[in-house]
Amino acid sequence: MGVVILGGSSGTGADVDAKRNILTRRGAADYGAAGGAYSVAGGPTGIVAAALAAGTTLAALRHGTGATTKVYITRLHITISIATIGVTAGVPGQITWQRFTTATPTGGTARTAARKDASTGSGTQIIGCQDLASALTVTSVAFTDVFVAEAIPNSTVGASYEYVTDLDEDEFIVLAAGDGICLRTSVAAPATQTWTFNYTIHWLEK
């Protein structure tokens, strides 16, 4: 049987199953004249030094200061791979995804956003995405909310560690014009261990 959606456009309907549960079917999103779905991937070629200090910014993405859209982050992914193993009983570090504003981090390798569907929306209004194994320059950058915190394990055998944060619609991390998100240490990395990292950020603009 069918059911009309109250308040919907003329001719719009919805299907229900035998138990009258509404059936939904996902289709391609319409982002309008501005916006779209994007991802960016990166990871420096260099090795992160042992005992990297807390408060070191390794990667950053910033929305344009004059942007007419907002950024809705849907997924954060990072892989940490051990290059030089740590010592027995070494202390783990911690790395976070954190909001920043007021200025754009500089230095490192610039990354280009990939548009997931070229038939919808328009070009991204992101103004910067870059990473560096030592530290990005963060002059005048103000760091605010911490969204996710993950361990930098002290590994005595060598390994890779993967962290994925998937965000539903009511959990999206929202960046207004001029806001950004960065990958930043909050606890110093293990004292003798070196490592590399790769990351991917997925988002919508609308």
Side-chain angles (χ1 to χ4, degrees):
M1 63 183 296
V3 60
V4 175
I5 298 178
L6 297 178
S9 300
S10 176
T12 299
D15 291 332
V16 295
D17 63 15
K19 294 185 178 180
R20 301 182 65 82
N21 296 308
I22 191 167
L23 300 176
T24 60
R25 298 179 179 86
R26 298 192 65 178
D30 182 3
Y31 298 99
Y38 300 90
S39 66
V40 68
T45 57
I47 293 176
V48 179
L52 185 72
T56 300
T57 302
L58 296 172
L61 176 149
R62 191 181 187 203
H63 200 27
T65 54
T68 57
T69 60
K70 289 185 178 181
V71 165
Y72 299 85
I73 295 175
T74 60
R75 187 179 227 222
L76 299 167
H77 172 267
I78 178 173
T79 300
I80 294 175
S81 299
I82 307 305
T84 303
I85 62 173
V87 297
T88 301
V91 178
Q94 188 176 81
I95 195 162
T96 64
W97 289 102
Q98 185 172 9
R99 188 196 304 272
F100 69 87
T101 187
T102 70
T104 304
T106 58
T109 301
R111 307 296 177 182
T112 301
R115 190 172 167 191
K116 294 184 178 181
D117 184 354
S119 67
T120 63
S122 60
T124 180
Q125 296 186 44
I126 293 293
I127 58 172
C129 182
Q130 56 278 318
D131 52 68
L132 186 61
S134 54
L136 295 174
T137 300
V138 291
T139 304
S140 300
V141 173
F143 297 97
T144 59
D145 307 304
V146 173
F147 299 114
V148 183
E150 308 286 8
I152 305 172
N154 177 75
S155 175
T156 59
V157 296
S160 292
Y161 301 88
E162 183 179 31
Y163 301 109
V164 179
T165 303
D166 284 317
L167 301 161
D168 294 328
E169 290 183 8
D170 58 347
E171 299 173 332
F172 290 159
I173 295 170
V174 181
L175 304 180
D179 285 349
I181 189 168
C182 65
L183 193 60
R184 190 170 186 247
T185 56
S186 57
V187 175
T192 63
Q193 175 180 281
T194 64
W195 43 285
T196 62
F197 70 94
N198 299 90
Y199 65 94
T200 309
I201 303 172
H202 299 261
W203 73 93
L204 308 174
E205 288 181 40
K206 57 184 181 177

